[in-house]
Amino acid sequence: MARTSQQTPAPSPAGLVAAEPADIQRLVEDLDGMLNRLRLGAIREQLDGLLEEAARRQLNLREALAWLCAAEVASKEQRRLSMAMTIAHFPFVRTLEGFEFEAQPSIDPGKIRDLATCRWVANGDNVVLLGPPGVGKTHLEVALGREAVARGYTVQFTTAMELLGSLVKGQQQGTLEMRLAQYAKPKLLIIDELGYLPLEPAAGHLFFQLISRRYEQGSVLISSNRPVEEWDEVFGAQVVAAAILDRLLHHSHVVTIRGDSYRLREKRRSGLFRPQAGGSSSAGIGGLPPPTPAKEV
Ligand code: ADP
Ligand code: MG
């Protein structure tokens, strides 16, 4: 049916065809209830303040309505954001503003700011962050993940161990398909700490299944302390590693971080830590054992 350009007459609120002041008064008394029914919680909660401000600014009715709607939209957006951040399961709050680029000169700030636009997420590309422990890989993953959430993408953060633990369990319990589907769902899946422990070949194969399922559908942001040339050892089988890398790196941005651990730097600054002569900068930092195997880029 063709749409008519004629304006439909404004409907009268029930019983208000010939509105008496008393009728309007009744509506005002029911205003809270109506705002509740319409789920306009922010307007309901802030009504007095919003109306006072509208009056102070001498807004006309249309402007005042827009003012109220803007308050509701802002509040709903805030709620959506905090819900999405919770669902993403970030291990801590880190932001790009909080990242000291001067401390890590091997990182090109322009590249990270470009990644922060999330065009790569829109395109379904992947990002691989490589570097030794403590150089800010997880910090950047969380910060970029938060940027993606802020832009409305669904994000899930997990560690390689947690992810594979879940997939292995799924295989044992006959729920693998469900778990693969769950990890395939978010537009951006962040997989932290690949390579800290070598994987069983069976786990490598499960990882491959997930990566191929997400291939060209959704983005993966993955971090590892091992250069990709060593992923054969991580996955325990060269052919599996090659198949994973083939898909992961096809449309990807690789950021390699070289340099000192930030934690170590802080410790050194405060005089708590003195580097051992010729020692590796990763050994036993913050009570953590060195990565296995203790190789650094
Ligand atoms: P990685 O994941 O590479 O092991 P993290 O991201 O966990 O390192 O960094 C260790 C700690 O140091 C975190 O608290 C992180 O926020 C902080 N950090 C690392 N690099 C920087 C940096 N360049 N600027 C600010 N904080 C940093
Ligand atoms: Mg980390």
Coordinates of all heavy atoms in Angstrom, one line a residue, residues 92 94 98-101 103-104 131-140 192 196 262-263, ligand 1:
F92 N 40.5 -6.3 34.2 CA 40.7 -5.1 34.9 C 40.3 -3.9 34.0 O 40.1 -4.2 32.8 CB 42.1 -4.9 35.5 CG 43.2 -5.3 34.6 CD1 43.3 -4.8 33.3 CD2 44.2 -6.2 35.0 CE1 44.3 -5.1 32.4 CE2 45.3 -6.5 34.1 CZ 45.3 -6.0 32.8
R94 N 41.6 -0.9 31.9 CA 42.7 -0.2 31.4 C 42.2 0.6 30.2 O 41.4 0.1 29.4 CB 43.8 -1.2 31.0 CG 44.5 -1.9 32.1 CD 45.4 -1.0 33.0 NE 46.1 -1.7 34.0 CZ 45.6 -2.1 35.1 NH1 44.3 -2.0 35.4 NH2 46.4 -2.8 36.0
G98 N 45.5 5.8 29.5 CA 46.4 5.4 30.6 C 47.6 4.6 30.1 O 48.4 4.2 31.0
F99 N 47.8 4.5 28.8 CA 49.0 3.8 28.3 C 50.1 4.8 28.0 O 49.9 5.7 27.2 CB 48.6 3.0 27.1 CG 49.7 2.0 26.7 CD1 49.7 0.8 27.3 CD2 50.6 2.3 25.7 CE1 50.7 -0.2 26.9 CE2 51.6 1.4 25.3 CZ 51.6 0.2 26.0
E100 N 51.2 4.6 28.7 CA 52.4 5.5 28.4 C 53.1 5.0 27.2 O 53.9 4.0 27.3 CB 53.3 5.4 29.6 CG 53.0 6.3 30.8 CD 54.0 6.1 31.9 OE1 55.2 6.4 31.6 OE2 53.7 5.7 33.0
F101 N 53.0 5.7 26.1 CA 53.7 5.2 24.9 C 55.2 5.5 25.0 O 55.9 4.7 24.5 CB 53.1 5.9 23.7 CG 51.8 5.4 23.3 CD1 50.6 6.0 23.6 CD2 51.7 4.2 22.5 CE1 49.3 5.4 23.3 CE2 50.5 3.7 22.2 CZ 49.3 4.3 22.5
A103 N 57.0 4.9 27.4 CA 57.6 3.8 28.1 C 57.9 2.6 27.2 O 58.6 1.7 27.6 CB 56.7 3.3 29.3
Q104 N 57.2 2.6 26.1 CA 57.3 1.4 25.2 C 57.6 1.9 23.7 O 56.7 1.9 22.9 CB 56.0 0.6 25.3 CG 56.2 -0.9 25.2 CD 57.2 -1.4 26.3 OE1 58.3 -1.7 25.9 NE2 56.7 -1.6 27.5
G131 N 55.0 -10.1 22.3 CA 56.0 -9.4 23.1 C 56.2 -10.1 24.4 O 55.3 -10.9 24.8
P132 N 57.3 -9.9 25.1 CA 57.6 -10.6 26.3 C 56.6 -10.1 27.4 O 55.9 -9.2 27.3 CB 59.0 -10.1 26.6 CG 59.2 -8.9 25.9 CD 58.4 -9.0 24.7
P133 N 56.7 -10.8 28.6 CA 55.8 -10.5 29.7 C 56.0 -9.0 30.2 O 57.1 -8.5 30.2 CB 56.1 -11.5 30.8 CG 56.8 -12.6 30.1 CD 57.5 -12.0 28.9
G134 N 54.8 -8.4 30.5 CA 54.9 -7.1 31.2 C 55.0 -5.9 30.3 O 55.1 -4.8 30.8
V135 N 54.9 -6.1 29.0 CA 55.1 -5.0 28.1 C 53.8 -4.3 27.8 O 53.8 -3.3 27.0 CB 55.9 -5.3 26.8 CG1 57.3 -5.7 27.2 CG2 55.2 -6.4 26.1
G136 N 52.7 -4.7 28.3 CA 51.4 -4.0 28.1 C 50.5 -4.7 27.1 O 49.5 -4.1 26.6
K137 N 50.7 -6.0 26.8 CA 49.8 -6.6 25.9 C 48.4 -6.7 26.4 O 47.4 -6.3 25.7 CB 50.3 -8.1 25.6 CG 51.7 -8.1 25.0 CD 52.1 -9.5 24.6 CE 52.2 -10.5 25.8 NZ 53.2 -10.1 26.8
T138 N 48.2 -7.2 27.6 CA 46.9 -7.3 28.2 C 46.2 -5.9 28.4 O 45.0 -5.7 28.1 CB 46.9 -8.0 29.5 OG1 47.6 -9.3 29.4 CG2 45.5 -8.3 30.0
H139 N 47.1 -4.9 28.8 CA 46.6 -3.5 28.9 C 46.0 -3.1 27.6 O 44.8 -2.6 27.5 CB 47.8 -2.6 29.3 CG 47.4 -1.2 29.6 ND1 47.9 -0.5 30.7 CD2 46.6 -0.3 28.9 CE1 47.4 0.7 30.7 NE2 46.7 0.8 29.6
L140 N 46.7 -3.3 26.5 CA 46.2 -2.9 25.2 C 45.0 -3.7 24.7 O 44.1 -3.1 24.1 CB 47.4 -3.0 24.1 CG 48.5 -2.0 24.3 CD1 49.6 -2.2 23.3 CD2 48.0 -0.5 24.1
D192 N 43.8 -13.9 25.5 CA 45.0 -13.4 26.1 C 46.0 -14.6 26.4 O 45.5 -15.7 26.7 CB 44.6 -12.7 27.4 CG 45.7 -11.9 28.0 OD1 46.6 -11.4 27.2 OD2 45.8 -11.7 29.2
Y196 N 51.9 -19.3 26.9 CA 52.6 -19.4 28.2 C 52.8 -20.9 28.6 O 53.8 -21.2 29.3 CB 51.8 -18.7 29.3 CG 52.1 -17.2 29.4 CD1 51.5 -16.3 28.5 CD2 53.1 -16.8 30.2 CE1 51.8 -15.0 28.5 CE2 53.5 -15.4 30.2 CZ 52.9 -14.5 29.3 OH 53.2 -13.2 29.3
Y262 N 57.0 -3.4 32.0 CA 56.6 -2.1 32.6 C 56.6 -2.3 34.1 O 57.1 -1.4 34.9 CB 55.2 -1.7 32.1 CG 54.7 -0.4 32.6 CD1 55.1 0.8 31.9 CD2 53.9 -0.3 33.7 CE1 54.6 2.0 32.3 CE2 53.5 1.0 34.1 CZ 53.8 2.1 33.4 OH 53.4 3.3 33.8
R263 N 56.2 -3.5 34.6 CA 56.2 -3.8 36.0 C 57.6 -3.6 36.6 O 57.8 -3.1 37.6 CB 55.7 -5.2 36.3 CG 54.3 -5.5 35.9 CD 53.9 -6.8 36.4 NE 52.7 -7.3 35.7 CZ 52.6 -8.2 34.7 NH1 53.8 -8.7 34.3 NH2 51.5 -8.6 34.2
Ligands
ADP1 P1 51.6 -8.2 29.5 O1 50.2 -8.6 29.2 O2 52.4 -7.8 28.2 O3 52.3 -9.2 30.3 P2 50.3 -6.1 31.1 O4 49.5 -5.5 30.1 O5 49.7 -7.1 32.0 O6 51.6 -6.8 30.3 O7 51.1 -5.0 31.9 C1 51.6 -5.2 33.2 C2 51.1 -4.0 34.0 O8 51.8 -2.8 33.6 C3 49.6 -3.7 33.9 O9 49.1 -3.2 35.1 C4 49.6 -2.6 32.8 O10 48.5 -1.7 32.9 C5 50.9 -1.8 33.1 N1 51.6 -1.3 31.9 C6 52.3 -2.0 31.0 N2 52.7 -1.2 30.0 C7 52.3 0.0 30.3 C8 52.4 1.3 29.7 N3 53.2 1.4 28.6 N4 51.8 2.3 30.2 C9 51.1 2.2 31.4 N5 50.9 1.0 32.0 C10 51.5 -0.1 31.5

